[in-house]
Amino acid sequence: MNNINNFPLVEQKKIISVNGIHTHASKIKLPEILFITSYPPRECGIATYSQDLVKALNNKFDHSFSISICPLESESEKHVYTDKVKYILNVDQPDAFRDLANTINHNADIRMIMIQHEFGFFAKKENEFKQFLIALTKPVIIVFHTVLPHPDELLKIKVKDISGVSRSIIVMTHSSAEILIKDYNIPGEKITVIPHGTHLVPHSDKELLKVKYKLSGKKILSTFGLLSSGKNIETTLEALPAIVKKNPDVLFLIIGKTHPSVIKQDGEKYRNVLEAKVKELELQQYVKFINHFLPLPDLLEYLQLTDVYLFTSKNPNQAVSGTFSYAMSSGCPVVSTPIPHAREVLRNDAGIIIDFESSQQLGEAVISLLNDEQLRKNISSNGLHRMASTAWENAAVAYALLFEQISESLISLRYNMPAINLDHIKKLTTDVGMIQFSKINQPDIGSGYTLDDNARALVAMCQHFEMTGDKESIKYIYIYFNFIKHCLQPDRSFLNYVNEQKKFTEQNNEANLADSNGRAIWALGYLISMSSLLPEGLTINAVSTMQKALLKVNKIHSTRAMAFSIKGLYYRNTNNKSIRGLSLIRQLANRLVQMYRHEATEEWQWFESYLTYANSILPEALLCAWLATGDFIYKEVAKSSFDFLLSKTFKEATIKVISNKSWLHKGEDVVHITNGGEQPIDVAYTIIALSKFYDVYTDDEYLDKIEIAFNWFLGNNHLHQIIYNPCTGGCYDGLEENYVNLNQGAESTVSYLMARLTAEKAFSNKQKNTPPVAVKVIVSQKLRYSKSANDKIF
């Protein structure tokens, strides 16, 4: 246990200004939050919950605040901790509560205390716990893991006393919140609902996992958790004979060791009862006990290979179940007894609810699921969408926002930038190109390929190679470039839609392909701009392909197609200057300027009478035109139009791009635009444009907006949910009004990668361009390295 004066220091610099130049002063300590909770290696659900929560908070916000741990112990429950522990509260020791309160009160770095509460933790010590809470002079957050309905007067008084001295109360279900309000008269404004966190999983192939665990050919039923009689496993065992009769290939996995407190009191009595029941029913070949505490990765793989998950608790007052949550988030169709949590999340075909201790209903539900693969898939998909908001990353955002609110400006949230993960990019890419769509994170080859996606992917992988020097990127650059070449037609235009057999589809005759042609020119120009880094044969081929494509570029009149083409010509011009190239830039840029002059007013400084998709590329393209030609009018219109656009999309440290559900028309008020319909591609294009404007104007406001925009992917949006999935490396397809579209297609995933690489480069350039001063090397506050060498923080 650490000395109470040994506090964690974080590499955070206090920025001061010397003659207008930013520099940093000495190290400062972050606000500290003390977690009082059971904690591993103690084996209980709350200990695991707290460890997962702490890990999630540190992964996302360890430069915003620090977390210290005070495990709860007793004379019969002591442990040696591997994680750093600041204090230990032994509830059986005289004066332990009073001493800890005094220590906390005299520690100026501890700003608030969060207590994971279960009544059993403080059994026979309720008065000491109450006096401890009263003695604390720092804000206290209580997380109630059990909320009992219809309390007697004594329980009601206990809960109200705890609530009265707490700044905030957290529960994990809306039904628990309603019970606190109605049965305990707790003010609703004091209660925050933050669902039990769940782990993101890669949704690995079920059959491959069954092979790994020697379960091939089996239909797997499973349940997991620390074993006790409350789990009522016998309900499933009694249903198994009927299930086996219809499905002789079934196997029921009972995963988990017996609960330590049960062992102390009754030994393995309950497990022995279950084993006897298995023998009595002659189910030995259909039931397998996995009698140990599985490492988390193994547990999540067992859940991913499960065909039906069974939750049979017989406690109607069990407020929430972490095991139940983990199963749903792993894609398991769930059959459950009607605990409040199940009634809340399994509604609308997200699972099947049965009565308590009803083996007949359980058997019927399992048989119907095992005999209907499509039903299992539908329930799995519905469950995944229902549980998406409960990912630990989202739980961390919810907790951090509450910390920020309670701290009264002492905590300012800074999101960590995730490490680059190309897994999903590679998964989407075949020898032909990048597949267009995914179902969740499984590529849908039936959706084919598009020039749009492969052009963006070419830009992104060029960026990746430029930043990292990873030679594997060149393999993907070749694939995406060859796809673009394949799409170039004899008449020097591009087609967009290609099927699995590499044939062009009828959709090419039905859609306007101007933007696709512009994107291809952008991608080719970007590749050519990197000629000094890439194989010579590749860039020569790209120059030849672009020359052919440019033969028709002056016939392009689509606003965004012109903008993409200008960008491509600009990038080509950086390494391959030509008079014709400059002439084409001027020709296209003049058209944009003419559109602006025709449409712009003092209140509406834009090129069209509406804001739609990919708006940022228009002012960015004109800025590129100015960089290429030096014609000042392009810079002037670029600045005024971009500032206008930013005024419509940035409000109070958040970004809200124009919804694809309702464009913003001239004369409309932006505040009336509904939530939802926000696409990752528009946020990415905004970041790319902001970076270009920062390069030209060196105005830190553009960097600030890059930070705000990138944080949209990490949870700084109207749902406070992640859009980027750090587990798969994919990006969700859209932010809707009430949910996130969990499909991780090519457009969104590549858009995130472009945004990620652009943001890092922008802040790295800020560091490089900041002049040194006498006191030390200058470090921008905008990019700091976290404890992981691969993670960065804004």
Side-chain angles (χ1 to χ4, degrees), residues 238-254:
E238 290 165 1
L240 266 182
I243 297 171
V244 167
K245 187 174 181 180
K246 297 283 187 179
N247 297 273
D249 52 354
V250 78
L251 179 65
F252 177 38
L253 302 180
I254 303 172

Side-chain angles (χ1 to χ4, degrees), residues 9 51 79 184 382 443 466 563 675:
L9 286 175
Q51 185 179 53
H79 301 280
Y184 294 87
N382 292 339
E466 183 180 22
N675 287 326

Side-chain angles (χ1 to χ4, degrees), residues 352-368:
I352 298 176
I353 294 179
I354 61 171
D355 291 336
F356 291 107
E357 303 183 76
S358 176
S359 296
Q360 180 179 345
Q361 290 181 21
L362 185 145
E364 292 170 354
V366 170
I367 290 169
S368 70

Side-chain angles (χ1 to χ4, degrees), residues 169 245 299 332 401 562 565 712:
I169 291 173
K245 187 174 181 180
L299 172 61
C332 297
L401 288 170
M562 290 190 292
S565 299
W712 180 90

Side-chain angles (χ1 to χ4, degrees), residues 428-473:
L428 283 166
T429 303
T430 70
D431 291 339
V432 174
M434 178 169 283
I435 296 169
Q436 183 177 193
F437 295 140
S438 283
K439 296 176 180 177
I440 307 297
N441 70 318
Q442 302 304 312
D444 179 11
I445 187 62
S447 67
Y449 308 85
T450 68
L451 174 63
D452 291 334
D453 293 328
N454 283 272
R456 283 186 288 260
L458 179 60
V459 173
M461 291 310 291
C462 284
Q463 286 181 288
H464 184 259
F465 180 65
E466 183 180 22
M467 176 172 290
T468 67
D470 180 0
K471 292 186 178 179
E472 190 182 8
S473 302

